[in-house]
Amino acid sequence: MTSDRKNIKLKIDELDKEIKFLEKKINEISWQRTKYQEFYEKSIIAKADH
């Protein structure tokens, strides 16, 4: 029984690490998307000015 509980705890820890990694990755991708969106919007405004 103790072994099962230990394995479950290890799995929980593993999943927590994966969640943190994915949250970091999501934040990075969101930041990139924001920068691309800003660039895109600026290019539209610049094009409209010409």
Side-chain angles (χ1 to χ4, degrees):
M1 183 74 170
T2 306
S3 177
D4 287 343
R5 290 178 70 166
K6 187 179 261 187
N7 288 339
I8 290 170
K9 176 65 174 136
L10 289 173
K11 185 62 175 176
I12 290 169
D13 291 344
E14 179 184 319
L15 291 170
D16 284 344
K17 286 179 186 177
E18 186 172 355
I19 288 168
K20 286 180 180 167
F21 170 79
L22 291 171
E23 287 173 338
K24 181 180 176 188
K25 190 71 176 168
I26 287 170
N27 288 335
E28 291 172 359
I29 292 170
S30 294
W31 181 85
Q32 284 182 0
R33 185 195 180 282
T34 300
K35 292 301 170 188
Y36 276 100
Q37 186 71 35
E38 289 172 2
F39 178 78
Y40 177 73
E41 289 171 359
K42 285 178 186 174
S43 71
I44 288 176
I45 291 169
K47 200 172 199 179
D49 288 344
H50 288 341

